[in-house]
Amino acid sequence: MMSGASRTPLLSARSLAKSYGGRPACQHVSMSIDEGEVLAIVGESGSGKSTLLNLLSGRLAPDTGEVRYRMRDGVERDLARLSEAERRLLARTDWGFVHQDAALGLRMNVSAGGNIGERLMAVGDRHYGQIRDTAANWLTRVEIGVDRIDDKPTAYSGGMRQRLQIARNLVTSPRLVFMDEPTGGLDVSVQARLLDLIRGLVADLGLAVVLVTHDLAVARLLSHRIIVMKQGHVIETGLTDRVLDDPQAPYTQLLVSSVLAA
Amino acid sequence: MTAHPDTIALAVEDLGKSFTLHMHGGTRLPVVSQVGFEVHAGECVVLGGPSGAGKSSILKMLYGNYLAGSGHIRVRHGGALVDIVEAEPRAILDIRRMTLGYVSQFLRVIPRVPAIEIVAEPALAAGVDRAAALERASGLLHALNLPERLWRLPPATFSGGEQQRVNIARGFAGEHSILILDEPTASLDAANREAVIGLMAARKATGTAFVGIFHDEEVRARVADRIIDVSVFAAREAA
């Protein structure tokens, strides 16, 4: 977990900045995350939190600054200096990315089993029977009946698609998962079930997670630490319960006081 | 106190706190200033004083839940004294896992997680193996008279008193050498108050230090080794 056996963080960013057409979306952001740690990035829409997530996950190149990642061999690498093949391998194996819109993270015309199996095949798994067994096992872990293994995600409900997306991401045992509003747009009861599932999996697997959410209750339930963003700037950071219960910055106080209960 | 400094579990020095309400024109609400006290292993220190004197705020600062405005909160963690006020979030999480436990007034329920798992969780987090953690959780729930048929259910639908007993069991399930108790007996009947007093006595005997708030005078008289009136730390506004 976070006992600090290694003092090098898993992922770290220094002085990240990104503008769109002269309009800054992310400015002077530095952060780091350790193995097994869940970091929530919170803020309203337009605060730059999704831009930051895309910068951290190498999906977007920063104008300035750098993101470093400690690879499985223990060597820290600058994401910008990875080859395209290395970056793809990283994204398919040691990382996961859970999108708010499951259609972005799944292949909608491929069966559920195929969606999970594809990631295994990408890392060289070729044994069809084993792949199917692993897929069935993961469907069970995300509470999808194995009898649905040959159905396409188009036949799934929103909550099931999201759980399938999580299974697809976790099947290669990533160390770091990026999540962009994973419970956004779902019914409250479906949300609660998904949150509990994520919480359990993260703890069991010792995953590090960078979680973008505008929902402070989600941040409280899942994260150890919080980064509060507004207009591309980091406004406040700290222990999740400290930031939510004793917010210091005027904007964080506004954010916390604007929800009914977090 | 003439206790040996090696037995210090928690040392608070010159601690101060005020809230600045940015939503209300930057109004400053002073809470406490120059708070100082020590708690030794096996000792129970009770914070007293009128409501609004800052007792709860002090406990929350000790746990790192509220940010201290000034001063130091040194906690004996892994053989060294670590200052909570200056510690990084990750260090505070580590201290909470291994050293510093907190029993709040209310259980924060997690959807779908059964009571016994909620109780066992601090033991698991401290590295106790699953079978032993569940056994410990069972023992605590037994001691606090929570009917066994409730153990596998999530506490969301439990009564206030039942939830509070789950909360207390959870607080005592870890390996913490310091426990912070914020009115743990407030919603309990006499038998369960007695059970909590018993649990505290057993832990004190093995060296656990307690800092708490107890409004029930009988309970307070029985558990407290010392009572500190926090109104002496009333914040004095700079003119």
Side-chain angles (χ1 to χ4, degrees):
Chain A
M1 295 280 291
M2 286 169 297
S3 52
S6 166
R7 283 285 39 140
T8 314
L10 190 58
L11 182 85
S12 60
R14 198 176 48 80
S15 309
L16 287 182
K18 179 76 186 174
S19 299
Y20 296 114
R23 205 180 58 83
C26 193
Q27 286 181 291
H28 314 299
V29 177
S30 297
M31 54 76 70
S32 71
I33 182 165
D34 282 356
E35 259 167 272
E37 194 175 33
V38 181
L39 174 72
I41 305 172
V42 304
E44 295 168 324
S45 46
S47 62
K49 57 189 194 299
S50 292
T51 298
L52 177 57
L53 189 73
N54 287 330
L55 291 171
L56 294 175
S57 57
R59 300 163 63 83
L60 200 61
D63 297 338
T64 59
E66 64 169 12
V67 180
R68 299 177 72 80
Y69 183 69
R70 179 158 49 79
M71 309 292 271
R72 283 191 182 183
D73 62 6
V75 178
E76 253 201 317
R77 301 282 302 273
D78 179 349
L79 288 190
R81 290 165 189 269
L82 292 181
S83 71
E84 192 49 42
E86 285 176 311
R87 209 192 322 263
R88 242 193 337 261
L89 185 67
L90 191 62
R92 280 179 184 168
T93 57
D94 214 17
W95 285 3
F97 199 109
V98 176
H99 298 265
Q100 175 175 358
D101 179 0
L104 292 174
L106 293 172
R107 299 230 283 157
M108 298 303 279
N109 295 316
V110 172
S111 71
N115 263 287
I116 299 175
E118 190 181 38
R119 271 210 25 142
L120 286 173
M121 289 193 282
V123 296
D125 224 326
R126 288 289 176 268
H127 190 286
Y128 177 78
Q130 268 172 19
I131 290 173
R132 194 171 168 88
D133 285 352
T134 307
N137 182 18
W138 267 100
L139 284 180
T140 308
R141 282 188 85 163
V142 298
E143 302 171 11
I144 295 174
V146 177
D147 58 330
R148 303 294 304 271
I149 192 167
D150 294 319
D151 291 353
K152 292 176 182 171
T154 43
Y156 279 12
S157 68
M160 284 172 74
R161 285 182 194 179
Q162 213 53 317
R163 281 180 273 134
L164 177 60
Q165 196 190 175
I166 288 166
R168 175 178 159 98
N169 274 284
L170 298 187
V171 70
T172 55
S173 307
R175 290 186 299 164
L176 175 63
V177 179
F178 301 94
M179 297 189 183
D180 190 4
E181 303 274 8
T183 60
L186 298 174
D187 291 342
V188 176
S189 61
V190 177
Q191 248 190 51
R193 182 176 181 187
L194 186 64
L195 280 173
D196 178 45
L197 183 82
I198 293 174
R199 190 181 156 275
L201 288 171
V202 165
D204 288 350
L205 304 171
L207 292 178
V209 178
V210 182
L211 166 79
V212 160
T213 181
H214 70 277
D215 188 334
L216 300 182
V218 169
R220 186 188 295 268
L221 190 66
L222 293 181
S223 70
H224 300 114
R225 289 192 296 128
I226 278 189
I227 291 180
V228 181
M229 289 196 70
K230 183 195 179 193
Q231 292 170 356
H233 287 277
V234 172
I235 298 294
E236 184 164 355
T237 67
L239 266 185
T240 295
D241 64 280
R242 204 283 296 155
V243 170
L244 296 179
D245 293 338
D246 188 18
Q248 302 296 306
Y251 178 71
T252 317
Q253 291 189 0
L254 172 67
L255 209 59
V256 169
S257 68
S258 303
V259 292
L260 293 175
Chain B
M1 287 292 291
T2 52
H4 197 272
D6 283 357
T7 66
I8 288 176
L10 177 74
V12 177
E13 185 190 331
D14 203 22
L15 186 66
K17 172 76 181 168
S18 64
F19 291 107
T20 303
L21 308 180
H22 294 288
M23 306 279 297
H24 299 278
T27 304
R28 236 180 118 260
L29 286 183
V31 184
V32 288
S33 74
Q34 293 176 311
V35 179
F37 61 88
E38 289 172 356
V39 186
H40 292 263
E43 188 187 26
C44 177
V45 168
V46 171
L47 304 185
S51 108
K55 300 185 293 292
S56 231
S57 292
I58 292 172
L59 293 190
K60 286 171 177 166
M61 283 190 277
L62 299 185
Y63 196 57
N65 176 231
Y66 280 6
L67 196 67
S70 58
H72 305 280
I73 299 164
R74 295 190 179 91
V75 167
R76 185 172 303 281
H77 172 64
L81 288 175
V82 181
D83 190 350
I84 290 278
V85 176
E86 289 170 0
E88 291 288 317
R90 288 173 191 131
I92 293 178
L93 289 172
D94 196 49
I95 289 168
R96 288 178 178 183
R97 188 162 53 245
M98 303 308 298
T99 300
L100 195 58
Y102 183 90
V103 180
S104 60
Q105 289 183 52
F106 302 102
L107 177 69
R108 189 178 282 281
V109 293
I110 302 157
R112 303 209 311 164
V113 181
I116 191 154
E117 297 284 342
I118 289 176
V119 174
E121 203 249 327
L124 293 167
V128 175
D129 76 59
R130 186 164 170 82
L134 287 174
E135 195 181 311
R136 189 183 294 184
S138 304
L140 285 162
L141 289 173
H142 254 307
L144 290 160
N145 306 301
L146 193 81
E148 208 166 329
R149 64 187 156 76
L150 298 179
W151 295 4
R152 296 297 320 163
L153 298 175
T157 55
F158 292 8
S159 74
E162 286 163 351
Q163 288 197 5
Q164 183 57 345
R165 280 180 277 152
V166 172
N167 202 28
I168 294 166
R170 176 181 162 86
F172 279 80
E175 305 270 279
H176 303 114
S177 50
I178 307 166
L179 284 176
I180 300 169
L181 307 179
D182 190 352
E183 285 207 69
T185 55
S187 53
L188 302 184
D189 59 24
N192 285 308
R193 276 203 301 276
E194 205 58 43
V196 173
I197 293 168
L199 289 174
M200 288 181 68
R203 285 292 287 268
K204 277 171 70 175
T206 60
T208 302
F210 285 90
V211 198
I213 303 170
F214 295 87
H215 279 150
D216 184 300
E217 286 194 19
E218 191 215 321
V219 174
R220 181 163 50 186
R222 286 181 57 195
V223 301
D225 293 304
R226 276 188 296 147
I227 297 174
I228 295 173
D229 182 353
V230 306
S231 50
V232 302
F233 306 125
R236 273 145 296 172
E237 267 302 63

